[in-house]
Amino acid sequence: MELKAKEEERINKINIENRIPKDPFRHLKRGYLFMYNLVQFLGFSWIFVNMTVRLFMLGKDSFFDTFHTTADMMYLCQTLAVMEIVNTLIGLIRAPLVPVLLQVFGRNFILFLVLGGVEEMQSKAVVFFVFYIWSLVEIFRYPFYMLSCIDIEWKVLTWIRYSIWIPLYPLGILAEAVTVIQAIPVFNSTGRFSFSLPSPLNFTIPFSVVLQLHLVALFLGPFVNFRHLYKQRKRHLGPKKRKAH
Ligand SMILES: CCCCCCCCCCCCC/C=C/C(=O)SCCNC(=O)CCNC(=O)[C@H](O)C(C)(C)COP(=O)(O)OP(=O)(O)OC[C@H]1O[C@@H](n2cnc3c(N)ncnc32)[C@H](O)[C@@H]1OP(=O)(O)O
């Protein structure tokens, strides 16, 4: 009797699926997302492996030229990461916009302006910790997405994707806060990115004001992302809801 009910349920499901118009572009969308995630995975893997090998070979000396050995690849990955905002805006992925905006702009502010803007910041040891934490997270996040594009789930990878952020997000925010604090005197002395208001105001706004505002945002903004990732973690790793009978 139960077997017959299950067979009927399976046939009904197939009938319903056949009535729903399939998105003609679904394979193209999946292919694009798969390739995007693959490129990001390869990019961050290169950064992570490069930094790990140099750490074992050079020890602490590897901290100081992290930027010069990995910045080009990080620039590429973080420039591509802007596509995650587009993917969300056009509905290609079901990710909420605000966490993605905070994530992409938060990182790119540090990478392109704070580190890329002044040479003096690029040999700081803190760059090693920022880049290492960023890449350590991404070498699990992007394979998780990649497999989800082809409807494959490895439970271990899902657990890592939705758990590794718990220690690494606060550590990453701390490393970025140290970077911003170290950058304030550098931008004050160089005057880089300072903004002069036209006459009659004749007033200059130093970039260190933006850095101080970013410091505040660094301690407020991530809570949006923590809450989102916590909800996603519960959804993916929580007890599976029993089907209503
Ligand atoms: C002027 C400048 C001002 C800027 C503002 C300043 C404020 C700064 C505050 C924040 C600062 C952040 C700085 C960053 C620091 C670090 O990264 S430290 C290192 C640790 N970091 C992390 O662990 C975060 C890693 N990043 C993420 O997880 C994401 O970027 C996220 C946006 C935070 C959350 O990801 P999101 O995609 O929203 O959630 P998911 O559950 O992963 O995905 C939702 C669903 O969408 C699917 N999906 C998402 N992306 C893809 C993809 N590329 N391909 C395929 N599918 C994708 C995903 O599978 C989910 O689907 P469902 O499972 O069906 O829900």
Side-chain angles (χ1 to χ4, degrees):
M1 185 64 179
E2 195 175 309
L3 207 61
K4 190 164 177 273
K6 279 190 176 169
E7 183 55 18
E8 278 173 10
E9 186 186 339
R10 190 182 67 81
I11 292 166
N12 285 341
K13 193 167 175 253
I14 291 169
N15 291 337
I16 291 166
E17 281 175 353
N18 289 339
R19 278 205 300 273
I20 297 170
K22 297 263 190 257
D23 173 3
F25 299 108
R26 74 185 182 286
H27 295 311
L28 191 65
K29 290 174 184 174
R30 284 184 171 206
Y32 154 72
L33 282 176
F34 185 89
M35 288 311 296
Y36 168 77
N37 293 312
L38 176 61
V39 168
Q40 289 287 47
F41 170 59
L42 294 175
F44 279 107
S45 299
W46 184 91
I47 293 168
F48 182 76
V49 168
N50 181 300
M51 290 176 72
T52 304
V53 168
R54 296 175 69 260
L55 178 65
F56 279 109
M57 286 173 61
L58 305 171
K60 287 182 186 172
D61 293 344
S62 69
F63 290 176
F64 305 100
D65 54 0
T66 297
F67 190 87
H68 293 108
T69 50
T70 60
D72 289 345
M73 185 60 81
M74 189 62 86
Y75 279 143
L76 172 67
C77 292
Q78 284 303 130
T79 304
L80 284 176
V82 174
M83 286 311 296
E84 293 180 26
I85 298 172
V86 177
N87 295 343
T88 303
L89 282 172
I90 62 175
L92 208 52
I93 54 169
R94 289 183 308 280
L97 184 60
V98 173
V100 178
L101 282 174
L102 286 175
Q103 178 72 21
V104 173
F105 280 116
R107 274 200 191 169
N108 286 358
F109 179 81
I110 296 290
L111 178 63
F112 290 98
L113 295 183
V114 180
L115 298 177
V118 282
E119 185 93 20
E120 294 83 339
M121 283 304 298
Q122 296 169 8
S123 54
K124 299 272 187 192
V126 70
V127 177
F128 174 90
F129 295 96
V130 171
F131 281 18
Y132 210 61
I133 292 170
W134 285 1
S135 55
L136 181 54
V137 166
E138 306 303 31
I139 60 175
F140 296 105
R141 178 163 78 103
Y142 286 112
F144 167 77
Y145 290 154
M146 213 159 60
L147 294 178
S148 74
C149 294
I150 48 178
D151 297 326
I152 293 176
E153 182 185 12
W154 288 346
K155 290 287 181 203
V156 173
L157 187 57
T158 304
W159 185 86
I160 294 173
R161 185 282 174 271
Y162 285 114
S163 304
I164 201 169
W165 64 272
I166 297 172
L168 291 187
Y169 223 150
L171 286 175
I173 297 299
L174 182 65
E176 289 185 26
V178 169
T179 305
V180 171
I181 291 166
Q182 290 184 349
I184 289 172
V186 173
F187 278 88
N188 278 337
S189 61
T190 59
R192 189 89 162 93
F193 299 143
S194 56
F195 180 70
S196 300
L197 296 175
S199 62
L201 296 174
N202 289 330
F203 184 69
T204 299
I205 300 175
F207 188 66
S208 56
V209 171
V210 177
L211 290 173
Q212 283 152 16
L213 290 175
H214 187 79
L215 214 44
V216 173
L218 265 180
F219 287 99
L220 297 177
F223 285 103
V224 172
N225 289 10
F226 292 170
R227 190 179 58 205
H228 168 65
L229 284 169
Y230 177 70
K231 280 188 336 193
Q232 283 291 86
R233 185 174 202 276
K234 279 205 309 185
R235 197 163 70 81
H236 282 269
L237 303 179
K240 291 297 170 209
K241 289 186 178 56
R242 289 190 181 284
K243 283 200 178 80
H245 291 295

